[in-house]
Amino acid sequence: MTRLLVREGALVDGPRAIMRMNHENTGFDCPGCAWPDDTKGLHLDICESGIKHVTWEMTRKRVELEEELDVPLVRRGRTHEGLTPEGERIVVRAQRLLADRDALKDEAGALRTGLSGRARIGSVPTATGAVALLTGPFCVAHPLVTVEIVADLQSQDILRQLQNFEIDAGITYLHKGLSESFQAVPLYEERYVLLTDAADSLAHRTAASWAQASALPLCLLTEAMQGRRVLDELFAEAWARPSPRGETDSVATLFARVRTGRWASIVPHAWLHVFGVPHGMRAVPMVEPSGTVPVGLVTAAREPGSVMAGALTEVARHAGVAAALERLPGDPAPQ
C-alpha cells in the first residue's frame, strides 16, 4: 500500500482519502466497485483495487510532489518500471509516517481501554521454544491483544523487518555489534546438549565434548541459519569438523530424526523445556568448550516508540525466562 501511495504521489492525501472510502456519512463510494457503505462503520473497508482507483484519480498529486522535490520518484517507460532511489527513500519515510500514525492510535486506545490490537513477533527457529515464556505473561497483562508469531526468520530478517515496520519485536541472538538503531533486553543464555539415542556410548556420560560429537552421525540445522553458524564456531574452537548426514531448518525435526535411533543431534537446551527428554533419548551437556550465546528481545530504537514494542519490552524485563528454562516438563513448580 505504501509503495502505491508513493508511486501515485499521494503520501498525505492518499491515506486521508483511503480512511474515508466507503464510509456512510462523511465518506465516498469506492470508485473501483462502489461497494455498499458499511452501516456498522468499519474503520477500513477497502481493497487493493480500490486503493489503485483512488490514487489513480490523484495522479496530478504525483506530478506535484515530484515538482516540489525536484526529483523523479518513478522510473517511467511504456509501463511503470519501479521507483527511483529517491522514490525508495520516500517509501521508507512514508512507512515511518504510517507507523507513527499507528503508534499514536495504539497509544490513544491504550489510554482509553487498555492496549489492544495485534503484536507481531519474529523469532529465530532455535528460540521459538522460549517464546511462550514471554508471550504468556504478556497476554495476561494485555488480554485484548492478539499475538502473531513468525517463527522461521533468520537474524538478519528480523532486523530488516523491524526497520521496515513489519514486526514489533524480534527474539534473536544478541551480538556485540548490534546497531544503535535497535535496543535489546537479554532473555537467557543459549547453551547446547547432545541429543542421542539412549543406547549410544555417550548417552550415560555426564558431559560430551564437541570433538566426540563430531564423530557421530549428526543431523544439524542448515548452514544458512545463525544457530548452525554458532555450532560451527564451537566445533572450530575444539578443532573439530562435523560431517552431518542430514540438515533441516526445524529444531522439532532434529528431535524427530534422533527418535529413529539412527542419528544424533546438538540442540539448544531451551527446547528441552518444551519436549523434555523424550523416551529412549538422552540429553548430554556439551563441554570443551562450554559455549553459550545470549538471546534477547530486540526492538527498533525510534521516537516515538511503538506502544506494542514498549509493552513487550516491559514484560521481557520481568518475565524470568532464564529461570523458567531451567525447569523441565514434570519438574515441581518453584515454591
Side-chain angles (χ1 to χ4, degrees), residues 214-243:
S214 68
L216 298 175
L218 292 173
C219 183
L220 300 176
L221 296 173
T222 61
E223 292 183 345
M225 300 178 66
Q226 179 66 27
R228 170 63 183 278
R229 292 194 288 272
V230 170
L231 296 185
D232 286 345
E233 290 173 3
L234 292 168
F235 274 118
E237 284 188 43
W239 297 92
R241 186 174 182 177
S243 299

Side-chain angles (χ1 to χ4, degrees), residues 22 40 42 55 62 67 70 80 82 99-100 102 106 109 112 122 136 141 152 214 220 254-255 298 322 328:
N22 289 330
K40 296 182 180 179
L42 291 176
T55 53
R62 176 187 69 197
E67 290 178 350
D70 194 27
H80 171 68
D100 288 345
D102 291 340
D106 289 342
R112 185 174 63 252
D152 60 349
S214 68
L220 300 176
L254 297 179
F255 276 78
V298 178
L328 302 184

